Amino acid sequence: MTPADQTDLEVANLAADAARKAILPHFRSAELDTDNKLDAGFDPVTVADRAAEQAMRAVLAEHRPKDGILGEEFGKTQGSSGRTWVLDPIDGTRGFISGTPTWGVLIALSDADGPFLGIVDQPYIGERFSGDRDHAQLIGPHGARTLRTRSTADLFDAVLFTTFPEVGTPEEGRAFHAVSAQVKLTRYGMDCYAYALLAAGQIDLVIEASLNPYDIQAPIAVIQAAGGVVTDWQGGPAHDGGRVLAAANAQIHAKALEILRRA
């Protein structure tokens, strides 16, 4: 089979396989060095982040040379096809350097309308969540199964996740906590794995702010393929990042969105 014969999902899986191979030797390694991208604050990057993105870019250069690439570590490479692969080699580097298995590799394929294919891969656990226009699937230690979001209709029955307790600005934090006050359970610190859990039918809502396109495009594709809804806090497209509301279904999305708009 030539590269041109392979489907986009097959190419995405090859890229995810390459990222796994590049990352796993560094996870929970005593010799792992961490650099800080910020002069003020802490935004870590490791050799594993850079090696994984380079490995994925090599796969795409071979199999999809006409497509563009947007990656967290190495920026944008222009293509000629009108399509862009959006890569976050390790979403949740803070968790990665802390040894928690809640980080993941994010791979999305987008066109002018946004992402239509996505993978959220957790190499250490061996779970790969994928979604495109035709399917939503989890392949993991227990085999393969179809992904389907929950049907929770009321906020008082909902489980809500976010990564940082402050969420973003004080204003954004107040809006988040207005939703949090209405739900059954709020949990913190899961990075991209929270979106995977939403697609898998384990939780109902993820609310975040200050995201980049490479943080959210893969989760959007997976969640939408599984039956969920992802928008910004005004109900518009979220693939450019910023404030994001991901929900298991339209009903619970509408109720959370009403509070975020009002707060």
Side-chain angles (χ1 to χ4, degrees):
M1 180 183 292
T2 68
D5 294 327
Q6 292 178 305
T7 68
D8 291 327
L9 184 59
E10 287 171 334
V11 173
N13 277 302
L14 288 174
D17 290 343
R20 279 190 180 188
K21 186 176 179 180
I23 291 170
L24 282 176
H26 302 285
F27 185 52
R28 296 184 179 172
S29 167
E31 288 76 37
L32 181 67
D33 291 325
T34 303
D35 297 325
N36 186 9
K37 297 180 185 180
L38 301 179
D39 294 328
F42 184 55
D43 186 12
V45 63
T46 72
V47 63
D49 296 79
R50 298 185 180 109
E53 185 168 324
Q54 288 171 330
M56 290 190 287
R57 283 175 176 267
V59 170
L60 296 175
E62 178 182 356
H63 294 270
R64 291 295 186 269
K66 295 182 181 180
D67 292 348
I69 301 174
L70 172 63
E72 179 177 11
E73 305 306 334
F74 296 101
K76 189 165 188 176
T77 301
Q78 287 295 138
S80 58
S81 67
R83 310 184 332 157
T84 302
W85 293 85
V86 183
L87 311 175
D88 192 342
I90 299 179
D91 181 85
T93 303
R94 293 171 180 83
F96 181 85
I97 65 175
S98 304
T100 65
T102 54
W103 50 276
V105 178
L106 302 183
I107 301 170
L109 180 56
S110 297
D111 58 19
D113 297 322
F116 57 88
L117 179 153
I119 283 179
V120 178
D121 190 59
Q122 212 309 306
Y124 187 72
I125 297 173
E127 290 182 328
R128 183 167 298 172
F129 305 79
S130 61
D132 59 18
R133 294 185 176 112
D134 299 318
H135 91 304
Q137 181 176 248
L138 165 62
I139 298 176
H142 300 294
R145 70 175 179 88
T146 298
L147 293 173
R148 189 68 194 168
T149 56
R150 296 213 290 196
S151 58
T152 307
D154 295 309
L155 286 174
F156 59 76
D157 286 326
V159 178
L160 166 64
F161 273 59
T162 196
T163 297
F164 302 107
E166 65 274 16
V167 182
T169 66
E171 177 189 10
E172 289 165 339
R174 285 191 293 272
F176 169 84
H177 287 290
V179 180
S180 178
Q182 302 296 317
V183 304
K184 178 171 66 177
L185 176 65
T186 301
R187 302 289 291 169
Y188 299 94
M190 297 296 284
D191 295 296
C192 65
Y193 199 67
Y195 296 102
L197 292 175
L198 194 151
Q202 296 295 308
I203 68 172
D204 304 289
L205 295 165
V206 183
I207 299 174
E208 297 194 290
S210 303
L211 297 186
N212 293 294
Y214 45 75
D215 297 318
I216 193 58
Q217 290 208 14
I220 287 173
V222 175
I223 289 169
Q224 289 180 340
V229 180
V230 187
T231 70
D232 66 13
W233 289 12
Q234 295 302 312
H239 54 264
D240 288 332
R243 299 171 172 178
V244 171
L245 165 62
N249 58 71
Q251 276 185 290
I252 203 78
H253 175 271
K255 291 173 181 178
L257 184 64
E258 181 182 4
I259 295 173
L260 290 173
R261 283 173 165 169
R262 210 172 51 222

